[in-house]
């Protein structure tokens, strides 16, 4: 099996990710939403997994992440936690659960931690959510920031296109990243921004920067697992490298099953009782 050889079998913590940045070791992260896939990804040796609210798209077929609720996220995250031994498990706080006020945000953050058993939370936004980020961290919960394309604000942006291409937005993103670091975030995800800007953020900040569509000059990468395994047919953004064609392989496998059932070559005598 072509897995990545993991010598350090200790549970990955936020501190370990920090050490990896300091040593120049890149961080490999993928999204995951269920127990079976979580076991496979953890066995393969990933450093971190994200229960992204992209579950709305890949698991539930919605066009945005906005329909995800706290109950949906807890269901997905607790399933993943049961399948993971080593990787750091980060869960997205879904839309509407931290934007109203800090008290409600902290209450929801504690609920996700308690009911899912995940290790950390991810929140989208910069200076506008800084008070809630601080309060959640004060409650003892590690927070990962998320800047650039923040899909929970898709209706404000009106496009899934590349963010921070102009100077003003790039300047705001850089100051948001500094604010998140000062607030105590252990890492930041940068989504779909110019590679040069992402590299600058990674260079200026002490904490790890994890990119998706943000080039190679960051401290790690995250992709949606169904996208990189080639299960989401027709989704081909420039930043996505497909490591498998599971869509095609599953269609072939299921096609063979259909043929066997129709031709009564399955089950055989040995496959019965
Ligand atoms: O929800 C998600 O999958 C994410 C990644 C794209 C970083 O936030």
């Amino acid at each position: 099996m072509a897995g990545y050889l993991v010598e350090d079998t200790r549970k990955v913590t936020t501190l370990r990710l920090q050490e990896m940045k300091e040593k120049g070791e890149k961080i490999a992260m993928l999204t995951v939403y269920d127990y079976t896939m979580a076991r496979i990804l953890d066995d393969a040796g990933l450093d971190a997994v994200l229960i992204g609210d992209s579950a709305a798209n890949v698991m539930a077929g919605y066009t945005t992440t906005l329909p995800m609720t706290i109950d949906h996220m807890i269901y997905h995250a607790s399933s993943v936690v049961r399948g993971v031994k080593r990787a750091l498990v980060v869960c997205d706080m879904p839309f509407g659960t931290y934007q109203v006020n800090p008290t409600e945000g902290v209450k929801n953050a504690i609920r996700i931690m308690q009911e899912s058993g995940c290790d950390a939370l991810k929140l989208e936004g910069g200076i506008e959510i800084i008070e809630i980020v601080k309060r959640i961290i004060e409650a003892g919960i590690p927070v990962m920031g998320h800047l650039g394309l923040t899909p929970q604000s898709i209706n404000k942006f009106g496009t899934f296109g590349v963010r921070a291409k102009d100077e003003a937005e790039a300047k705001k993103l850089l100051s948001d990243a500094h604010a998140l670091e000062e607030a105590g975030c252990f890492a930041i995800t940068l989504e779909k921004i110019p590679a040069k800007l992402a590299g600058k953020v990674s260079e200026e900040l002490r904490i790890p920067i994890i990119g998706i569509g943000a080039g190679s000059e960051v401290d790690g990468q995250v992709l949606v697992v169904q996208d990189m395994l080639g299960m989401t047919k027709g989704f081909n953004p420039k930043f996505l490298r497909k490591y498998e064609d599971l869509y095609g392989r599953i269609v072939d496998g299921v096609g063979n099953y259909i043929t066997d059932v129709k031709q009564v070559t399955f089950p055989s005598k040995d496959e019965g009782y």
Side-chain angles (χ1 to χ4, degrees), residues 46-261:
L46 276 182
D47 301 305
V49 292
L50 170 70
I51 300 97
D53 57 1
S54 51
N57 313 118
V58 288
M59 302 304 285
Y62 291 111
T63 52
T64 76
T65 58
L66 273 61
M68 288 310 277
T69 66
I70 198 160
D71 288 334
H72 293 143
M73 293 309 294
I74 289 169
Y75 168 76
H76 286 294
S78 57
S79 306
V80 167
V81 166
R82 286 191 286 274
V84 169
K85 290 198 186 93
R86 178 181 174 273
L88 181 81
V89 180
V90 185
C91 180
D92 266 342
M93 286 195 75
F95 177 65
T97 61
Y98 57 96
Q99 292 90 346
V100 177
N101 63 57
T103 306
E104 200 177 300
V106 176
K107 231 170 96 186
N108 286 330
I110 290 172
R111 186 172 160 220
I112 298 174
M113 294 297 287
Q114 276 184 331
E115 293 184 29
S116 74
C118 70
D119 302 314
L121 300 176
K122 177 163 81 56
L123 278 68
E124 295 183 7
I127 200 76
E128 53 290 332
I129 60 154
I130 217 70
E131 283 316 309
I132 172 66
V133 167
K134 281 186 196 157
R135 290 276 305 277
I136 293 174
I137 294 168
E138 275 164 16
I141 300 169
V143 171
M144 174 182 261
H146 183 154
L147 298 170
L149 176 63
T150 46
Q152 291 177 13
S153 306
I154 188 59
N155 293 317
K156 188 169 90 180
F157 296 147
T159 164
F160 284 103
V162 179
R163 305 303 313 176
K165 285 200 285 193
D166 67 65
E167 213 183 307
E169 200 181 331
K171 214 169 137 199
K172 165 147 175 35
L173 188 142
L174 196 59
S175 75
D176 279 345
H178 278 284
L180 289 170
E181 176 171 90
E182 276 159 33
C185 283
F186 73 89
I188 298 173
T189 296
L190 293 181
E191 181 166 354
K192 241 181 162 182
I193 65 163
K196 207 166 146 214
L197 175 62
K200 189 170 161 65
V201 176
S202 169
E203 200 182 291
E204 288 192 12
L205 267 62
R206 196 184 47 83
I207 59 175
I209 305 300
I210 313 292
I212 171 164
S216 63
E217 289 168 37
V218 288
D219 308 301
Q221 300 291 331
V222 59
L223 286 174
V224 169
V225 68
Q226 281 82 356
D227 294 342
M228 59 81 74
L229 291 178
M231 296 171 82
T232 45
K233 198 180 173 193
F235 184 63
N236 302 303
K238 190 178 166 194
F239 68 79
L240 176 62
R241 184 178 296 179
K242 296 195 178 183
Y243 287 83
E244 263 294 350
D245 170 28
L246 285 198
Y247 192 98
R249 287 174 64 157
I250 291 170
V251 167
D252 284 351
V254 173
N256 290 338
Y257 168 74
I258 294 169
T259 304
D260 286 353
V261 169

